[in-house]
Amino acid sequence: MGLDMMVERNTSDQEEREEEEEEKAAKNRYTKGVKHLLEIGISSVPKDYILPPQDRPRVTDKDLEHGSNFCLPVVDMARLRSLSAADRIQALEAVDKACKEYGFFQVVNHGMNEEGMRRMMAAGRRFFEQGFEERKKWMTSDIRGKVRYGTSFNQINDTVFCWRDFLKLNCQPLQEMLPLCPSSPKDLRDEVVSYVEEIQVLFLEIMAVVLEALGVRKEEALMEEFEEGSHMLIVNYFPPCPNPDLTLGMPPHSDYGFLTLLLQDDVAGLQVYHRDRWFTINPLFNSIVVNIGDHLEIFSNGRYKSVLHRVLVNSTKPRMSIASLHSLPFSSTVRPAAALIDDAGRGRLYKDTDFAAFLNYISSHDANRKSFLETRKLTPNGQRG
Ligand code: OGA
Ligand code: NI
């Protein structure tokens, strides 16, 4: 080999190493979150955040501002509480229809303390507005951590990163999580306690209504399980994004639990996949958005489906949401309700599943779309698919 060639080989080895180092440094920056990227002065999204053209959202800031005329079914909890038995049947039919056709609905007159909701949102916002040095104390890539500040969708496996930072709080049992919950801003813990207590009550009430709509007797035993059920509170922060047309705040996904109760601020961003297209959900002041998760799809033996949703970002306003994911206790097995197997010729459509299987799955796969649920499906005659 001539000297020239050796020199060339060495330079290209070195270049390759430098490139690798640079990639590593970039990934390291990304794990600090998207707010951090803005703080260090980026002015366009790095290439790792750019979706392939077919996955990019085709919406502009203008569309978001003017809103869509798409409206989710609204469930008035106060009305539901006060109805006579006959009228209640009709109201339950409406819930059943919302669950079947949309997999999403909004609840109003839910009984949550509205001042408390605002204070929770404000405390969460102040958490993200703190400097990185403060936020990073809760940064961990351990998906089993009780408290976790992180970024993107599934940091470990994402092939394209998304424009979201989050604080995840595993609220069951609350007393174990609290000492680990950020103590700055000072009021965060108190607000979390009030919010978690209230939203858990609301979840139980909505869950009972959904079981009634589904035609499953709300068995005491099941409701008791939900009382001790898993509860993950996710405070999502989507900073303004320099190229909202190239990336997403969250990719298309379904939620894993029975129900998700979502509080969003007044900035639009949530989109639901309905009848083969994406619809933007206009935030309805003081309402809570409810959606069906994979576990309820399994429990209902496919009568109610978890629905794909995603989050758009915009170039001017930070957006916040607080998602409350509820399911059975961590150690329980989720399976189709006995009453929903075999009636009207519908065999069992899903395998039993538990959290361990789910956590194993997400720590080794890019768990977007409904990929986990796909692994739990049986063929209609009850054999393994
Ligand atoms: C989620 C989610 C939607 C939103 O946290 O799972 O879908 O509007 N959030 O932030
Ligand atoms: Ni979600």
Side-chain angles (χ1 to χ4, degrees):
M1 199 188 288
L3 196 59
D4 276 5
M5 258 176 95
M6 268 172 68
V7 170
E8 213 168 88
R9 159 85 69 84
N10 281 342
T11 346
S12 75
D13 279 356
Q14 173 139 9
E15 271 168 14
E16 232 170 70
R17 263 200 308 278
E18 275 169 10
E19 251 169 51
E20 267 171 31
E21 286 300 311
E22 176 44 38
E23 290 247 315
K24 249 198 237 152
K27 290 260 150 68
N28 198 21
R29 277 198 298 281
Y30 302 156
T31 60
K32 295 179 179 170
V34 280
K35 176 133 189 301
H36 179 73
L37 288 180
L38 293 172
E39 286 159 356
I40 61 175
I42 61 134
S43 55
S44 58
V45 297
K47 69 173 186 348
D48 298 69
Y49 290 82
I50 301 179
L51 289 160
Q54 68 275 18
D55 295 342
R56 291 178 198 164
R58 269 177 289 274
V59 216
T60 61
D61 279 4
K62 243 211 201 108
D63 291 337
L64 277 178
E65 248 160 60
H66 294 288
S68 63
N69 42 24
F70 177 74
C71 206
L72 284 178
V74 173
V75 175
D76 182 341
M77 295 305 286
R79 188 164 167 269
L80 210 50
R81 284 175 203 127
S82 68
L83 288 177
S84 65
D87 291 340
R88 192 173 166 83
I89 290 174
Q90 266 188 359
L92 288 171
E93 276 169 9
V95 173
D96 180 58
K97 189 160 178 255
C99 291
K100 282 201 177 112
E101 282 180 19
Y102 296 84
F104 266 84
F105 54 88
Q106 308 189 73
V107 297
V108 296
N109 297 323
H110 38 62
M112 298 266 298
N113 176 344
E114 289 168 0
E115 247 336 285
M117 285 162 45
R118 250 185 302 286
R119 283 199 311 268
M120 175 65 226
M121 195 59 116
R125 191 180 298 278
R126 273 182 275 111
F127 172 80
F128 288 97
E129 284 171 354
Q130 302 175 110
F132 178 67
E133 288 307 308
E134 191 55 44
R135 298 195 305 268
K136 83 165 188 207
K137 294 179 188 165
W138 285 272
M139 209 167 83
T140 164
S141 53
D142 175 13
I143 56 169
R144 291 168 174 85
K146 287 216 157 276
V147 172
R148 182 155 75 99
Y149 167 65
T151 187
S152 194
F153 183 61
N154 180 349
Q155 228 167 302
I156 317 158
N157 297 300
D158 286 343
T159 42
V160 179
F161 293 129
C162 50
W163 204 257
R164 162 181 88 140
D165 294 337
F166 61 77
L167 179 66
K168 288 193 187 179
L169 306 172
N170 183 342
C171 298
Q172 178 60 264
L174 189 57
Q175 292 315 319
E176 265 176 40
M177 184 281 288
L178 269 187
L180 307 169
C181 176
S183 50
S184 173
K186 276 203 303 293
D187 53 340
L188 184 62
R189 285 186 188 177
D190 285 347
E191 295 309 334
V192 165
V193 173
S194 316
Y195 189 81
V196 162
E197 282 170 355
E198 287 195 13
I199 202 114
Q200 172 71 6
V201 170
L202 181 60
F203 159 71
L204 289 172
E205 187 180 5
I206 297 175
M207 195 65 233
V209 167
V210 168
L211 289 178
E212 226 179 318
L214 190 57
V216 180
R217 246 181 359 103
K218 45 173 190 190
E219 294 162 37
E220 291 294 313
L222 184 65
M223 289 312 291
E224 269 169 31
E225 270 198 88
F226 279 124
E227 275 170 35
E228 302 296 312
S230 68
H231 183 186
M232 184 74 90
L233 196 71
I234 309 175
V235 186
N236 292 309
Y237 188 83
F238 307 93
C241 175
N243 308 96
D245 46 342
L246 300 180
T247 191
L248 284 167
M250 287 181 90
H253 69 281
S254 60
D255 298 340
Y256 63 78
F258 269 73
L259 293 176
T260 299
L261 275 56
L262 182 87
L263 173 64
Q264 43 177 347
D265 68 6
D266 58 353
V267 181
L270 173 61
Q271 285 197 316
V272 174
Y273 198 67
H274 177 69
R275 303 205 169 135
D276 301 325
R277 52 170 289 211
W278 290 104
F279 287 94
T280 304
I281 306 303
N282 298 321
L284 178 63
F285 187 62
N286 278 340
S287 75
I288 302 263
V289 173
V290 179
N291 67 282
I292 286 160
D294 294 349
H295 289 171
L296 182 51
E297 177 169 334
I298 294 173
F299 177 83
S300 73
N301 202 23
R303 278 175 177 71
Y304 294 168
K305 298 275 195 304
S306 64
V307 170
L308 287 180
H309 52 287
R310 66 179 189 183
V311 177
L312 306 178
V313 284
N314 72 81
S315 62
T316 52
K317 295 183 204 146
R319 173 172 184 274
M320 266 195 72
S321 69
I322 300 175
S324 193
L325 276 66
H326 301 260
S327 187
L328 292 175
F330 203 73
S331 56
S332 295
T333 301
V334 180
R335 57 173 64 92
L340 301 178
I341 298 177
D342 267 349
D343 76 319
R346 185 189 287 245
R348 177 194 246 266
L349 296 181
Y350 301 83
K351 301 177 206 175
D352 288 4
T353 191
D354 56 28
F355 270 104
F358 173 69
L359 287 177
N360 286 339
Y361 184 87
I362 62 168
S363 47
S364 56
H365 293 78
D366 185 2
N368 64 13
R369 303 215 165 250
K370 287 174 68 169
S371 58
F372 175 67
L373 199 74
E374 289 304 321
T375 71
R376 312 317 298 160
K377 282 191 178 157
L378 296 164
T379 54
N381 60 9
Q383 271 144 25
R384 266 153 214 271

